[in-house]
Amino acid sequence: MGKEHKKWWQIIGDIKTPYVYLILMILFIYPFFRPLNFPIVISQPAQDYYNTIESVPKGGVILMHIGYSIGQMGDQVSTSVSTVKLLLDRAKQDNIKIIFLSFQSDGIPSLWYILDECGYPDSGHFTGLQYGVNYVVLPFIPGGEVAMASFCKDIWATCPVDYNNTPIANIPMMQNIKSIADCNLLIQSTGSFDTELMLIRQFWGAYKLPMLTCEGAGAESQERGYYPYQIKGFLAGPNYGAQFEKLTGVPGLGVSYADVLSVLTIMTMALIVLGNISFFMEKRQKGVNEKR
Amino acid sequence: MSKRQYQRSIPLFITSIIGVIAIVDYLFNLPVLPQVEKSVSQWVLVISAFAATLGATSLVLFHLNHVRKRTVNQWYYSILTIVGLLIYLAVGLPYGPASTIFLNFYNAGAAPIEATMLGLGAFYGISAVYRAFRGRSTGAIILLLCGAIVWIYQAPIGAVIPGVTPSALWILNVWTTAGMRAVLIGVALGTIVLGMRTLLGLESGYITRQGGEE
């Protein structure tokens, strides 16, 4: 008895998994060698995100919260790094004060990775900036939403030392920053919708502090619920990271990832179309067989 | 009052008092409350630290049990888990989690493992999408189309394909925003109801023992 030959639509609907993985790997690597340079169009949330940071007055205070783990960096690092670079440039030009913090234990290694990417402690975008004068790094603040509520009321009491165990009272820029009333903007990158809700409840709900978020691509639908009221602007994923890098004029990881994202999206859509063609042809064939 | 009634009543009473203090402090500007509320917040931080210690201890005991029993296909992973935990404790406790040595351990060990796991997810996800996303009904076809349009929009190539951006923005600004806000309002109402029930002592799940005994 011979082997039954598969029809063409059965073949395209059942491509073996190793071949799918092989094609994905090739498509993933190719844009790093031959950039495709798809155009990057600025979206309204990314524009609002940029405008809100630029509208912080000279000498203002910006809180930058990093909470996602190293494993989530692929989706979020481009937006976070480009944001921190802009904040550091504004610190140089307009004397903005930056407080780096995290209410999530996973965020601390990611925070240090981002700072290293930006040239910490005295190179790259950190050139000309002084720790304790232009920026400060707080340690992990445990306690979840209770800690956030306490932080908003009294920063010194909630976080009495910085990451290096230096008392907050001895840090020059913190002399006039005692509570959330002394801050102008919170930028959050949590990697967790629960934590984002807590930050919105405590920082915006109680004190109406303007907020921005830079999250992964899948978070866009969540951000839409709060945009543009509680959240003045957002970046969601590497595409938004590329848009923000275009706005700031500092190319980075977002532009690198953008081509890969486009190629993998085309590949995924093609697979879905092939799978559905196979499904509908199978269904049609069954209908024809039943009529016979 | 029996012992069991005391065991139930005292925690409920403490919960209600602390909750009322937090609410009154938020709504009114009474002179003594901020100090009380600050103390309570600090107690919560201490309790969180104990909870984390309890969690780590439970994890170690759970895996030690597997090692002792030599559970098939499990005991060697349990040894790895315990050794990993002890290494990070040994480095983190004396030097601190922000120290260079701890971050080097984390960046060399946990970070690549975590990144690999999530990176592999992309391959599994796309393969699963290829095999599972079928238009089996009208609703499934609509879901598939909306998902595909928004997915393409989120890549830079979406700006090049005509019709994708306005369609995706319509889906996101109208349907997604409305749906998300409905979910958030539901969550908020549920949180309020649960909070009120907890303050009034009607919600006692947190004081029951394992097996539902009170």
Side-chain angles (χ1 to χ4, degrees), chain A residues 12-15 17 21 41 69-71 142 153-154 217 220-221 224-227 239 262 266 271 275-276 280, chain B residues 25 37-38 45 106 111 114 118 124 130-131 133-135 151 154 156-157 159-160 172-173 176-177 180-181 184:
Chain A
I12 63 170
D14 192 26
I15 303 171
T17 304
Y21 288 172
V41 176
S69 66
I70 293 274
K153 276 195 185 152
D154 192 338
E220 176 157 6
S221 55
R224 292 272 170 189
Y226 289 109
Y227 171 76
N239 184 28
S262 293
I266 297 168
L271 286 173
N276 277 281
F280 284 109
Chain B
D25 181 54
E37 207 266 336
K38 199 190 283 188
L45 296 180
Y106 188 90
E114 206 173 333
L118 282 165
Y124 295 141
Y130 164 57
R131 290 180 204 291
F133 275 29
R134 300 285 187 264
W151 198 331
Q154 288 187 334
I157 195 164
V160 176
L172 288 167
N173 287 334
T176 305
T177 303
M180 202 60 214
R181 286 179 182 166
L184 291 169

